[in-house]
Amino acid sequence: MSTLPSEGALNRLRGELSPAGIRIVAVSKTQAPERIRILYDQGQRDFGENYVQELLAKQPLLPEDIRWHFIGHLQSKKVRSIAPFISVIHAVDSLHLLEEIQSQGSRLGRVIDCLLQVHISREETKFGLDEASLFDLAQTIGSRPGDFSQARLIGLMGMATLTDDQALVREEFRKMKELLGKLQEKFFADFPWFRELSMGMSSDYSIAAKEGATLVRIGSLLFGPRD
Ligand SMILES: *Cc1c(COP(=O)(O)O)cnc(C)c1O
């Protein structure tokens, strides 16, 4: 049994981030519902999960006013199962996925907030859009706003390189902010809600906060190390 989520950690994070209006998403992957409940009882409402099956198992056991964020890679065929309750989908990386979110949102009469995942790190990954694909996709979405009424694009999500080199991490977060600004100007001038930057985790959220994050995704700092 690992230690309980610490009230001190949440309070410290709030003290650091709330004055700047930065929202904390508590990343609860691998955590049992009772442990999520402890943070809920401290007023935390935004929780992030990476795996559809795990989220589907936990969501019915927890209060309905939790705002669930899906922060992992999402397959289009799995959108349907989380669409009835998901609040924000952070890692949209294709038009096909966004269209499926739109279609499920429209079937249910819900608006689902979405972020485009950008590949900013030096690490090899098959997830996230490179800059050229990001601009292509943004152009398509910006030119067909009526087609995405239920899959509302609110900004960008990214992960910095896992490194002790703080200058590199800062540079990658700056890049995200710069991309957000360019996209706002070029394609989303009429979308005032396209303004969010989901960046920063336990190890690098302070840098992200200074570089313009509006959402930080914090797991181990709140819950302790994962098993
Ligand atoms: C697990 C995870 C986090 C949180 O990581 P910590 O280092 O525990 O804070 C944030 N974002 C994503 C996408 C994750 O998968």
Side-chain angles (χ1 to χ4, degrees):
M1 183 67 199
S2 38
T3 53
L4 294 173
S6 116
E7 184 146 8
L10 183 57
N11 282 338
R12 267 194 305 280
L13 272 177
R14 281 178 177 154
E16 196 175 337
L17 302 171
S18 303
I22 301 171
R23 248 203 297 172
I24 300 164
V25 178
V27 176
S28 50
K29 62 186 178 200
T30 78
Q31 307 296 340
E34 310 80 75
R35 307 187 83 233
I36 297 175
R37 184 77 204 208
I38 294 172
L39 287 186
Y40 178 89
D41 289 340
Q42 293 167 31
Q44 179 65 26
R45 289 296 178 271
D46 293 278
F47 288 91
E49 291 279 339
N50 288 49
Y51 302 101
V52 170
Q53 287 319 316
E54 187 182 341
L55 175 56
L56 289 175
K58 288 193 243 180
Q59 183 269 340
L61 307 175
L62 285 156
E64 284 202 6
D65 63 342
I66 286 183
R67 291 181 292 271
W68 290 104
H69 297 243
F70 197 81
I71 62 172
H73 177 68
L74 182 59
Q75 290 174 279
S76 298
K77 63 177 184 197
K78 302 219 169 139
V79 172
R80 189 184 180 92
S81 60
I82 60 170
F85 63 85
I86 201 75
S87 204
V88 187
I89 297 178
H90 285 237
V92 174
D93 60 359
S94 73
L95 185 59
H96 180 63
L97 177 57
L98 196 72
E99 285 174 336
E100 179 59 16
I101 298 168
Q102 165 66 21
S103 143
Q104 296 302 328
S106 137
R107 177 176 69 86
L108 297 160
R110 295 191 73 227
V111 173
I112 300 170
D113 286 339
C114 296
L115 298 138
L116 297 178
Q117 184 179 1
V118 192
H119 180 208
I120 48 166
S121 80
R122 298 267 169 100
E123 281 139 17
E124 278 296 318
T125 162
K126 51 190 195 302
F127 302 130
L129 299 151
D130 62 26
E131 200 169 320
S133 322
L134 174 69
F135 276 76
D136 281 354
L137 184 52
Q139 178 166 36
T140 305
I141 299 163
S143 65
R144 297 165 40 191
D147 292 358
F148 300 102
S149 53
Q150 316 301 120
R152 188 172 74 146
L153 200 63
I154 60 167
L156 304 177
M157 178 267 208
M159 270 183 280
T161 306
L162 203 59
T163 170
D164 291 334
D165 181 352
Q166 303 216 342
L168 176 61
V169 171
R170 185 171 299 110
E171 187 188 305
E172 291 171 349
F173 288 149
R174 275 193 188 153
K175 180 77 190 173
M176 288 266 295
K177 171 98 185 174
E178 183 192 311
L179 288 170
L180 184 83
K182 281 190 185 160
L183 296 177
Q184 280 172 328
E185 198 176 302
K186 274 178 95 87
F187 308 118
F188 299 119
D190 301 327
F191 299 46
W193 48 85
F194 185 83
R195 54 172 296 275
E196 308 286 341
L197 280 176
S198 167
M199 59 188 196
M201 325 198 331
S202 293
S203 58
D204 57 14
Y205 77 88
S206 289
I207 304 175
K210 287 198 193 77
E211 299 305 329
T214 64
L215 292 160
V216 291
R217 308 176 311 269
I218 312 275
S220 42
L221 202 61
L222 287 170
F223 286 102
R226 280 180 295 276
D227 299 330

